[in-house]
Structure formats: C-alpha cells, structure tokens
C-alpha cells in the first residue's frame, strides 16, 4: 500500500528512528522534513550537513529505503526512505536517472523548492506523488506528471465518492464487460480522443470504439465531449485504478 509506505517514511524520518550512519543526517533533517523547523534549526542543519540554506532542493519519498550516490553535481542526504537532494545544473533529470539506475522505487519526487526551510512542504508533495505509484513497481514519478492522480490519491474518502458517483453503474457490470469499456476509454484517452487511432490500437472497427464509448457515456451519465464531465470521468478512472491497486 502506497499510503502505508508514505506513513512509514514519515515515521522513519524522525530523528529518534534514524540509525547508524544515517543518524546525524536524520537528527538534523527530521525537523525540516516534518515542517516544524525553527530558523536556528535550519541554520544548524545547513552547518551540520554542509549545505546552503538557500538552494534548489527536492525531496524523494521511496516505498523502500535505498541509497543513491552523489553525481552530476547533485548531493544527497538520506533519512530512511526520504531523500533530500541539492540539485546541480542538470536539475531533476540527473537524480531521477540515478534513482532508476540504483533500482530504487517506487518513489515520488517533489517539485523544486528554494531552500532547506521548505523541505517540509516538499516532503508532503513527494509523498502525494508516491501514492500514485503502483505496488511492486520501480517507477519514479514527479508530482507534476501525476498531479491530477495525486489529488485523487491523497483524499481517499473523496476518491471513493467520486468513483461511486461517476462509475457506480459501471462497477455492477460483469467484470469482462467493465474491463472492455474501461480499456477502450483508456486507449481513447491515450490516443488524444481519436476514435480512429484508438480503433487501430484496439484492432477493431472505429464504429466499435464509438459504440463502446457511447455505452460508457450512458452508464456514467457523463459526456466525453463536455469538458467538465470529461474531467470527472478521467479523475474517476484514476480513482478506479488506485482502488484496484489497493485491493
């Protein structure tokens, strides 16, 4: 469960739970990652870690602990499953690549923030990105690329209501029929709303795709040609995927 992994990472980022070589870094980073650091704690962390108070930082929250070496001008500090990286000139691309090379993941990456005092916010946003990752994967995702899904994943009670409100009639169908309609919708979205391209991908006639989409519109009472209703449908699709992954 991604939510359990995020909660575990939050607990392990506290100073008293860091161990071994990570303890000094954990003791200094803990208040910053919790978002409760006072100015003197920010200064102490900067001095103790040899990092600038102001700089381009990002936070990574992983499902399981990993260690990634410095490289490409980036400097890492780890506290359990939570990593703080001072970015080099290459920005996030280098550290994300390093995470992939190390086999780390799943993991969520925060947007870039402007200093150590903002690590608490960055950590929360990285945790929200982690919630969108599938279990057992090694995908490393940024919040920006998963922002709509993160909105759904971070509020499970609203996600459940959205799923029931939009896809309720779809959920009572036979699994095979539901999978067919949902799969057609996913391919149609991936094809930019092109029925013709979706038909090629699905190896069926374009009229078949059209009829499946009309069937889905009838069940959900949402039009795929109405922007607001399309947004509701796409978010409900994310909620459906997350619900299936969480079991």
């Amino acid at each position: 469960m991604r939510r359990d992994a995020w909660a575990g990472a939050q607990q392990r980022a506290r100073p008293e739970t860091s161990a071994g070589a990570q303890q000094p870094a954990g003791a200094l980073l803990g208040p910053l990652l919790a978002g409760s650091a006072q100015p003197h704690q920010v200064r102490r962390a900067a001095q103790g870690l040899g990092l600038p108070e102001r700089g381009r930082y990002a936070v990574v929250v992983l499902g399981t602990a990993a260690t990634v070496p410095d490289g490409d001008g980036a400097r890492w500090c780890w506290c359990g499953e939570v990593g703080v990286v001072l970015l080099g000139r290459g920005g996030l691309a280098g550290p994300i690549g390093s995470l992939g090379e190390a086999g780390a993941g799943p993991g969520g990456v925060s947007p870039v923030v402007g200093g150590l005092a903002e690590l608490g916010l960055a950590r929360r946003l990285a945790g929200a990105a982690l919630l969108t990752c599938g279990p057992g994967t090694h995908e490393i995702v940024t919040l920006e690329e998963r922002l709509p899904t993160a909105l759904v994943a971070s509020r499970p009670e609203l996600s459940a209501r959205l799923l029931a409100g939009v896809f309720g009639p779809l959920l009572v169908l036979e699994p095979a029929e539901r999978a067919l309609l949902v799969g057609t919708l996913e391919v149609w979205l991936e094809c930019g709303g092109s029925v013709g391209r979706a038909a090629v991908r699905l190896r069926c006639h374009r009229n078949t795709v059209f009829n499946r989409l009309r069937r889905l519109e009838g069940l959900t009472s949402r039009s795929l040609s109405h922007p607001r209703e399309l947004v509701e449908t796409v978010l409900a699709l994310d909620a459906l995927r997350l619900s299936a992954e969480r079991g």
Side-chain angles (χ1 to χ4, degrees):
M1 298 283 288
R2 299 277 68 78
R3 182 168 294 275
D4 292 342
W6 183 17
Q10 289 178 313
Q11 291 294 324
R12 281 182 284 274
R14 293 177 180 172
E16 62 270 23
T17 60
S18 299
Q22 291 181 338
Q23 186 170 357
L28 293 168
L29 287 173
L32 277 64
L33 293 170
S36 59
Q38 300 299 312
H40 73 277
Q41 292 174 303
V42 176
R43 290 192 296 272
R44 185 174 64 183
Q47 293 169 0
L49 298 170
L51 296 172
E53 289 188 45
R54 300 296 300 172
R56 299 176 68 245
Y57 289 93
V59 171
V60 176
V61 178
L62 300 175
T64 56
T67 300
V68 179
D70 295 345
D72 297 323
R75 285 193 56 194
W76 288 93
C77 292
W78 287 94
C79 189
E81 290 92 345
V82 181
V84 174
V85 59
L86 173 63
L87 300 173
R89 292 182 179 180
L92 282 171
I96 291 176
S98 298
L99 288 164
E101 293 171 3
V109 183
S110 76
V112 177
V113 296
L116 294 176
E118 300 173 58
L119 293 185
L121 171 62
R123 179 185 172 185
R124 292 194 298 274
L125 295 178
L130 174 64
L131 292 175
T132 72
C133 296
T137 69
H138 288 280
E139 57 184 344
I140 304 294
V141 301
T142 64
L143 181 66
E144 281 85 350
E145 64 186 290
R146 295 285 181 86
L147 188 54
T149 308
L151 287 170
V152 174
S154 60
R155 295 298 299 273
E157 68 283 1
L158 295 181
S159 173
R161 293 186 67 86
L162 176 68
L163 178 59
V166 177
F167 278 176
L170 193 69
L171 299 178
V172 300
L173 297 178
E174 290 295 325
E177 183 179 6
R178 180 172 65 248
L180 181 66
L181 295 178
V182 170
T184 299
L185 174 62
E186 289 175 331
V187 171
W188 178 76
L189 290 169
E190 290 169 3
C191 291
S194 169
V195 171
R197 288 167 54 197
V200 173
R201 284 270 304 274
L202 293 168
R203 298 183 179 181
C204 64
H205 196 277
R206 57 181 292 117
N207 286 346
T208 301
V209 175
F210 182 82
N211 290 335
R212 290 175 186 172
L213 294 176
R214 297 293 82 77
R215 166 79 167 142
L216 189 141
E217 286 182 320
L219 288 167
T220 62
S221 299
R222 265 75 174 178
S223 171
L224 297 177
S225 60
H226 190 290
R228 185 176 295 275
E229 294 179 2
L230 176 60
V231 169
E232 291 182 347
T233 301
V234 172
L235 291 177
L237 186 62
D238 282 335
L240 179 64
R241 178 180 64 81
L242 292 167
S243 176
E245 290 174 352
R246 293 169 180 171

